[in-house]
Amino acid sequence: MEALEATETLKALIIENNLPRTDIALFGIKCPYCGKSDRIRQLERPDDLSDKVDSAILQEYAKIWQRLNPSSARLGVCSFCLNPLALNKGSAKTLDQP
C-alpha cells in the first residue's frame, strides 16, 4: 500500500468511524492543509480502540497506522478539513513529508 493510498484509507476510516473518539484539541499546532490552529486532534493508537470499534476495522486501522507511523510518532487529524497528519514536537506535517 503506497503512502497516498494509505492516507486516503485512513481519512475514510476517520470519517466513517468518527475518529478520534476523544475530542481534545492540541492548541498551537497549525494544520498544514487549511491553516486552522484550534482543530488538531490526536488519533488513538490501535490498542486504545480495541473495545470501541469492530475488529475488521481495527485490523485495517492498525495496518495503516504501522504503514504511516513506523517510528511510533503520533498521528492526528484536523477536525476542520479532516486530513490525517503526522504530529511531532508541537507541529503537524502532511503524511508524505519526511
Side-chain angles (χ1 to χ4, degrees):
M1 181 180 294
E2 296 207 20
L4 180 59
E5 182 182 350
T7 301
E8 289 300 316
T9 303
L10 178 58
K11 185 174 182 175
L13 285 172
I14 289 167
I15 293 168
E16 293 167 6
N17 296 286
N18 197 28
L19 297 175
R21 295 293 173 99
T22 55
D23 193 30
I24 300 171
L26 303 175
F27 289 100
I29 299 177
K30 188 175 184 179
C31 176
Y33 292 102
C34 70
K36 299 282 186 188
S37 62
D38 61 343
R39 304 289 179 100
I40 307 300
R41 309 292 194 266
Q42 183 174 333
L43 289 171
E44 293 94 346
R45 295 185 179 279
D47 295 343
D48 296 337
L49 293 174
S50 60
D51 58 342
K52 298 175 184 169
V53 297
D54 181 64
S55 62
I57 293 168
L58 184 61
Q59 255 184 333
E60 184 71 14
Y61 183 74
K63 182 174 115 180
I64 292 169
W65 183 280
Q66 183 60 34
R67 168 65 177 95
L68 295 175
N69 193 17
S71 66
S72 296
R74 299 181 305 164
L75 292 178
V77 63
C78 175
S79 65
F80 181 76
C81 65
L82 299 175
N83 283 303
L85 306 165
L87 302 176
N88 193 7
K89 298 179 185 173
S91 68
K93 296 181 180 179
T94 62
L95 289 170
D96 59 353
Q97 292 179 342

